[in-house]
Amino acid sequence: MSGVSENRVLAGSPSTGEAARGGLIADVPRRALILLGLFAALLLVAPATVGDYLLSVMILVLYYAYLGLAWNVMMGFAGQFSLGHALYIGLGGYTAGALFVHYGLPPWFGMVVGAAVAAVMGGVIGALGFRFGVKGVYFALLTIAFAEFTRILFDHWGWVGASSGLYLPVEYRDTDDLWLLRGSATMFYYVILAMTAGAFILCHWLLQRRVGYYWQAIREDQEAAQTLGIDVFRYKMIAVMLSAAMTAIGGVFYAFYYNNLYPETIFSMHRSIELMLGVIIGGIGTLFGPILGAIVLTTLGEMLTGLTEDLGLDGIKQMSYGVALLVIIVYRPGGLWPWLRRRLGLEKPR
Amino acid sequence: MTGDLAAATAPMLRVDGVGKSFRGLKAVQAVSFEVPRRGIVALIGPNGAGKTTTFNLIAGAMRPDTGRVFLEGRDITGLRPDRICHAGIGRTFQLVKPFGELSVEDNVIVGALRGTHDVGAARRQSAKILALLGLDDKAGLPAHSLTLPDRKRLEVARALATQPKLLLLDEVMAGLRPMEVDRMVATLRSLNEETGMTILLIEHVMRAVMALSHWVVVLNYGEKICEGTPGEVTSDPRVLECYLGDEAL
């Protein structure tokens, strides 16, 4: 009756001899799997071989890799520019921190609540921006505005310590308490490693689903995407809320690892910029770019911090970030990962 | 029941007195025409006649100030473009809009996902469509690397992948060489004959209009000046006048 069913020629008829695709690793070249396995193995055994300092740097690398992966969902996949992701770090950290300090609730519970709070906040910002056609740079300004006024709110909110900060009690323990996330750096290392691995797998999985295709279509051309039947508002909302929730979980890690939260630092614009720098350097919209970018940028930062202390040159770290960014924009505008991927021979067979 | 009957007998598309003004400039006024089921209708007219605006009014990119649009008797006036796509209209853009960073295949998969959640099924369907449009050897290339004629083909492939009942084609022959025009005409004609797909096209390439369309609607200055078979329209003095000026007669 309807034209849709008449168009059998165009409809996909079942099984034309082609092997069933899908699954998590079906599309990944073998070589990439081997390299990824080696990389994962290296990360798994690292704490046994490296010293305290190097371990702390690796935790920082994984923390920024995780945040980069989260920001990349919104900017890299769906093309929605957020300059205020510190907002979600802060919401996650403060929610879990305050629930722990005031009620002794474990961070795993705080993680769920914090992610939900951040998703709602992301939803509010997204709904305002997308409903009223606030796009690009103006949308980014909206995200900054929300981060800034949340910072001011927390600066004056006594229950979370206002401007003097919220402190998580640090007790000395012999054993790692994974339930309350109190313990050694090695435990925190494995926690952030698991989070980063989880985010990486989630992103890979999403990109192979309809939602991943739809996000990228919206990123490339919103009008064309809508003409192909995509409810762009809905899919942009999913991207923002998911990215916010993931970022908030990173904030929970921050709170329990550093044990102190100040509105001034956690909600600062500086944080928002820091977490996206790695992604830009590694490769926006790629899966491994945020991880590579975090490795490069954090290593660079640490090396230069050492140098700064030796030579007494303040601010060289920030300057070097700027230089690194400039070099990337000029010579590898797509980021380091697409270039390295070619070098490693990991391009998808075509 | 009566609704079903009405839907079964209604034309595929009925445009009823649609009008659209931009800051007082009447881009389209009181334009009415029908596209019968399984028909191929061409919308022609000089530059600025309001053809693309009419497409935008049908496809939901703009809401008409006046008039209604019906698809199989169902009022679709002012629906969002994604809803119109789900209702069964696929369209291409005159100024092509490929998803540049995505591969040609992935571009078509996005369209094919209109009818399925399964990326594997969408990939199989897009392979057929790419073969149909002669883009199969370029499936793995990023869309931004295509030449303009190939981008036009990609527009058609992507719209087809949504499995529309009615396909709106906005100057897909422009920039094609005569041989490529013939090939596109053959592809569209076989789609129309084999799958019964209804087609409404805007076209300047008269070779294609004459070869393809069963019926031609002519617009000038936002108004419909005449309609008829390709033979009738091309000999109509009003049409010659709007294309060539009255001195030419």
Side-chain angles (χ1 to χ4, degrees):
Chain A
M1 184 75 166
S2 76
V4 173
S5 61
E6 283 169 17
N7 296 334
R8 274 187 308 269
V9 175
L10 300 177
S13 63
S15 100
T16 44
E18 191 185 346
R21 301 233 195 179
L24 267 182
I25 54 169
D27 245 2
V28 185
R30 195 184 169 83
R31 197 180 175 137
L33 280 180
I34 293 169
L35 283 176
L36 193 63
L38 283 174
F39 184 63
L42 201 68
L43 287 174
L44 276 172
V45 301
T49 53
V50 303
D52 286 351
Y53 169 69
L54 205 53
L55 190 65
S56 75
V57 174
M58 290 180 76
I59 290 174
L60 208 57
V61 167
L62 288 169
Y63 172 65
Y64 278 113
Y66 175 84
L67 291 180
L69 284 163
W71 181 75
N72 195 41
V73 167
M74 190 171 155
M75 177 66 191
F77 298 168
Q80 306 305 308
F81 190 16
S82 166
L83 259 173
H85 256 47
L87 167 63
Y88 310 123
I89 303 177
L91 286 177
Y94 266 107
T95 305
L99 288 175
F100 179 70
V101 169
H102 293 300
Y103 308 112
L105 291 167
W108 307 102
F109 178 76
M111 213 172 251
V112 175
V113 181
V117 169
V120 169
M121 195 61 152
V124 169
I125 296 171
L128 280 173
F130 305 147
R131 230 4 136 208
F132 298 105
V134 183
K135 285 179 197 157
V137 176
Y138 299 99
F139 180 72
L141 286 176
L142 187 70
T143 63
I144 296 176
F146 270 82
E148 280 298 293
F149 73 60
T150 310
R151 177 180 65 78
I152 294 164
L153 174 79
F154 275 73
D155 246 342
H156 296 88
W157 190 7
W159 192 65
V160 294
S163 57
S164 45
L166 183 71
Y167 296 88
L168 278 67
V170 183
E171 324 162 25
Y172 182 76
R173 287 172 194 267
D174 289 336
T175 52
D176 292 336
D177 186 343
L178 197 58
W179 179 240
L180 292 179
L181 224 51
R182 309 279 77 190
S184 66
T186 307
M187 180 194 73
F188 280 103
Y189 174 82
Y190 282 114
V191 168
I192 192 69
L193 178 60
M195 281 168 61
T196 307
F200 181 77
I201 292 166
L202 176 69
C203 287
H204 175 64
W205 181 74
L206 287 169
L207 278 187
Q208 294 192 337
R209 312 281 300 175
R210 177 153 97 155
V211 62
Y213 279 86
Y214 277 10
W215 280 340
Q216 294 181 82
I218 291 167
R219 179 191 72 199
E220 294 296 311
D221 194 309
Q222 186 168 315
E223 200 182 350
Q226 200 175 19
T227 302
L228 296 176
I230 301 173
D231 183 344
V232 293
F233 178 79
R234 181 168 163 226
Y235 282 92
K236 287 198 287 191
M237 287 296 279
I238 295 172
V240 174
M241 293 174 77
L242 178 66
S243 179
M246 286 171 73
T247 307
I249 292 171
V252 177
F253 176 85
Y254 177 95
F256 281 77
Y257 181 57
Y258 287 108
N259 298 309
N260 57 66
L261 297 166
Y262 303 99
E264 206 60 57
T265 52
I266 203 165
F267 288 112
S268 85
M269 172 112 184
H270 186 69
R271 290 253 174 247
S272 299
I273 292 173
E274 226 170 37
L275 76 88
M276 52 186 251
L277 277 184
V279 188
I280 295 170
I281 287 173
I284 292 183
T286 64
L287 268 176
F288 206 75
I291 298 172
L292 181 66
I295 295 171
V296 171
L297 207 59
T298 311
T299 313
L300 188 71
E302 285 303 314
M303 276 163 50
L304 288 164
T305 306
L307 204 66
T308 313
E309 280 163 9
D310 293 346
L311 301 176
L313 298 168
D314 287 335
I316 201 166
K317 179 172 159 185
Q318 277 71 22
M319 245 175 71
S320 71
Y321 280 8
V323 172
L325 200 61
L326 272 177
V327 170
I328 290 298
I329 288 167
V330 173
Y331 293 102
R332 297 275 176 271
L336 284 174
W337 177 242
W339 166 78
L340 187 64
R341 186 173 54 191
R342 265 197 308 281
R343 278 299 166 96
L344 294 172
L346 302 180
E347 293 286 271
K348 272 187 197 174
R350 284 187 161 152
Chain B
M1 198 61 200
T2 50
D4 285 348
L5 197 67
T9 54
M12 180 56 76
L13 180 76
R14 187 156 71 86
V15 176
D16 187 9
V18 297
K20 180 78 185 173
S21 300
F22 300 109
R23 298 180 186 186
L25 176 79
K26 286 175 178 161
V28 171
Q29 40 182 325
V31 167
S32 301
F33 62 91
E34 284 185 3
V35 180
R37 280 156 199 274
R38 310 177 80 95
I40 301 182
V41 173
L43 200 56
I44 68 168
N47 288 326
K51 304 182 298 290
T52 295
T53 303
T54 305
F55 260 33
N56 284 336
L57 297 178
I58 297 169
M62 293 171 189
R63 204 190 161 83
D65 301 332
T66 58
R68 319 291 313 167
V69 180
F70 300 91
L71 183 72
E72 293 185 308
R74 181 188 158 203
D75 190 347
I76 58 163
T77 317
L79 288 184
R80 278 201 327 246
D82 53 312
R83 301 258 175 243
I84 296 220
C85 175
H86 284 284
I89 296 183
R91 81 167 290 189
T92 68
F93 289 96
Q94 182 188 1
L95 301 170
V96 292
K97 295 175 181 292
F99 303 131
E101 291 293 320
L102 302 190
S103 71
V104 170
E105 183 188 36
D106 285 349
N107 267 263
V108 182
I109 288 176
V110 171
L113 285 168
R114 206 280 301 162
T116 173
H117 280 267
D118 180 2
V119 173
R123 181 174 284 124
R124 285 190 292 278
Q125 191 199 339
S126 69
K128 288 180 191 171
I129 293 170
L130 286 170
L132 189 73
L133 271 300
L135 282 169
D136 37 354
D137 55 335
K138 302 189 174 80
L141 297 176
H144 65 69
S145 71
L146 294 183
T147 59
L148 185 64
D150 280 342
R151 289 182 195 208
K152 296 255 172 184
R153 283 198 194 100
L154 180 58
E155 283 280 320
V156 179
R158 219 168 45 177
L160 275 179
T162 66
Q163 299 184 45
K165 301 169 188 171
L166 170 65
L167 187 59
L168 305 184
L169 301 173
D170 196 345
E171 292 200 34
V172 291
M173 315 277 183
L176 299 190
R177 288 191 293 270
M179 253 179 62
E180 294 171 326
V181 168
D182 291 344
R183 188 169 165 202
M184 182 68 96
V185 165
T187 305
L188 294 175
R189 185 183 281 152
S190 74
L191 264 174
N192 172 254
E193 283 166 3
E194 286 164 28
T195 71
M197 183 179 294
T198 310
I199 298 172
L200 173 63
L201 67 155
I202 293 176
E203 202 49 72
H204 279 302
V205 179
M206 287 314 283
R207 182 190 176 90
V209 173
M210 299 301 283
L212 259 182
S213 42
H214 311 148
W215 196 253
V216 179
V217 176
V218 188
L219 297 184
N220 193 23
Y221 293 117
E223 290 178 90
K224 184 176 83 176
I225 57 170
C226 75
E227 60 182 310
T229 63
E232 287 165 13
V233 160
T234 45
S235 56
D236 190 309
R238 286 168 301 179
V239 177
L240 296 177
E241 185 190 324
C242 79
Y243 270 98
L244 304 170
D246 47 7
E247 301 90 357
L249 292 179

